[in-house]
Amino acid sequence: MIIFLVYVPALVFLGLGMFGLRDVRILRRRGVRTGGRCGGTSWNANIPSTDVIYRDEGNERHYITMSAEELGLAEDESVVSVVYDPRKPDRATTEKVLKKAMWRTQEGYLVIVGLCLAAAATALIAVASSQ
């Protein structure tokens, strides 16, 4: 029972990270690039966020909310390169996020944390069982 409790946080981090990396992989494989315009700005968890409004191939309007650093804009720019999934147009991100290495994305960090927690739990269990 204690082993299950030790591995639960690792599995949660791994699951969340792998689910997010799945979206990144889908967008890299079949994503469609389009231009998006910066809309309103808000604060989420003390991080300034900007709404990016874009249109899909059917000319339907969608938006995503991104932190300022994920937009990759100079101060006077308002157009962002957006990549969206044509099968599910609400699944989108910016070109800058897709150019990052997988392990340097937010989802990649979750996977790394999950792996580290699993390794630490395994080491602790191995030490405890050897004594």
Side-chain angles (χ1 to χ4, degrees):
M1 179 67 176
I2 191 76
I3 293 173
F4 178 73
L5 292 176
V6 172
Y7 282 107
V8 167
L11 292 174
V12 168
F13 279 104
L14 280 170
L16 290 173
M18 293 305 288
F19 184 74
L21 287 177
R22 178 185 150 271
D23 287 349
V24 171
R25 187 172 158 265
I26 288 170
L27 288 172
R28 284 184 177 171
R29 192 177 69 221
R30 67 173 180 233
V32 174
R33 283 156 179 73
T34 187
R37 297 224 174 257
C38 294
T41 302
S42 61
W43 286 81
N44 295 329
N46 265 348
I47 299 171
S49 299
T50 302
D51 291 337
V52 177
I53 302 159
Y54 63 96
R55 293 191 181 270
D56 64 10
E57 293 171 331
N59 208 24
E60 289 185 43
R61 187 176 162 177
H62 304 275
Y63 78 94
I64 53 173
T65 303
M66 307 293 289
S67 68
E69 71 178 30
E70 292 174 333
L71 294 176
L73 291 176
E75 290 182 25
D76 58 343
E77 290 181 307
S78 65
V79 177
V80 176
S81 180
V82 175
V83 179
Y84 71 92
D85 181 2
R87 294 184 194 167
K88 185 179 175 186
D90 289 330
R91 178 186 292 149
T93 191
T94 62
E95 182 88 33
K96 182 178 179 182
V97 171
L98 287 184
K99 286 183 179 178
K100 289 182 181 178
M102 288 270 213
W103 64 271
R104 295 199 66 190
T105 62
Q106 182 178 3
E107 293 83 5
Y109 289 141
L110 289 174
V111 170
I112 291 170
V113 168
L115 290 173
C116 290
L117 286 173
T122 303
L124 288 173
I125 290 169
V127 168
S129 66
S130 68
Q131 292 180 355

